[in-house]
């Protein structure tokens, strides 16, 4: 089974920043569009961002647009999510994910049930 490993989460104050990383386990990320999702306790999983396999096309959820930036370095087999100007409502477990044979994000990029492969998540907590 294809797996991702997320890292970079932690506890930060409002207004702070983190850089989340998504690395592959057992396969290359280079051929996949990668989505970032988050889920807070008691809430549905929410699409945060997506980047196509080339890195030249990106998508963002309305709640994070202008604050979060997705990028990838295919040479390092890693996708990043820079999360800035953090708010308490950004507190969640953040996951990266991919769809089998999908190289582009597409119109349904933010639908969690369309994704086949998921990491274990990394916790982001924003609190004063």
């Amino acid at each position: 089974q294809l797996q991702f490993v997320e890292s970079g989460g932690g506890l930060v104050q409002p207004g702070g920043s983190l850089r989340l990383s998504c690395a592959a386990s057992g396969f290359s990320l280079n051929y996949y569009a990668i989505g970032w999702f988050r889920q807070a306790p008691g809430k549905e999983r929410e699409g945060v961002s997506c980047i196509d396999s080339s890195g030249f096309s990106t998508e963002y959820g309305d709640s994070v647009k202008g604050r979060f930036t997705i990028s990838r370095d295919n040479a390092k087999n890693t996708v990043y999510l820079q999360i800035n100007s953090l708010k308490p409502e950004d507190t969640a477990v953040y996951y990266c994910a991919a769809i089998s044979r999908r190289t582009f994000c597409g119109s349904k990029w933010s639908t969690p049930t369309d994704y086949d492969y998921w990491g274990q998540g990394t916790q982001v907590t924003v609190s004063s």
Side-chain angles (χ1 to χ4, degrees):
Q1 186 174 356
L2 304 182
Q3 291 182 300
F4 297 104
V5 178
E6 301 97 332
S7 61
L11 174 64
V12 296
Q13 295 185 9
S17 298
L18 290 170
R19 188 195 194 205
L20 310 182
S21 297
C22 173
S25 177
F27 72 104
S28 175
L29 294 175
N30 296 359
Y31 312 110
Y32 295 90
I34 301 297
W36 279 97
F37 293 80
R38 66 186 183 185
Q39 189 164 25
K43 297 185 178 179
E44 294 184 352
R45 193 162 294 189
E46 174 190 15
V48 175
S49 188
C50 185
I51 187 167
D52 74 359
S53 62
S54 72
F56 288 102
S57 181
T58 59
E59 302 284 349
Y60 295 96
D62 290 341
S63 64
V64 307
K65 199 169 298 181
R67 299 188 298 121
F68 292 10
T69 302
I70 192 170
S71 63
R72 70 191 303 155
D73 186 342
N74 283 348
K76 293 182 170 61
N77 200 30
T78 302
V79 173
Y80 304 98
L81 186 69
Q82 181 71 38
I83 58 177
N84 299 327
S85 302
L86 289 167
K87 307 173 182 179
E89 51 263 45
D90 294 318
T91 295
V93 177
Y94 284 71
Y95 302 89
C96 59
I99 300 172
S100 181
R101 300 187 178 184
R102 183 70 63 82
T103 61
F104 59 94
C105 294
S107 62
K108 305 298 183 183
W109 70 267
S110 62
T111 303
T113 53
D114 285 352
Y115 287 74
D116 302 299
Y117 313 119
W118 294 86
Q120 86 292 339
T122 185
Q123 177 72 50
V124 172
T125 302
V126 185
S127 177
S128 59

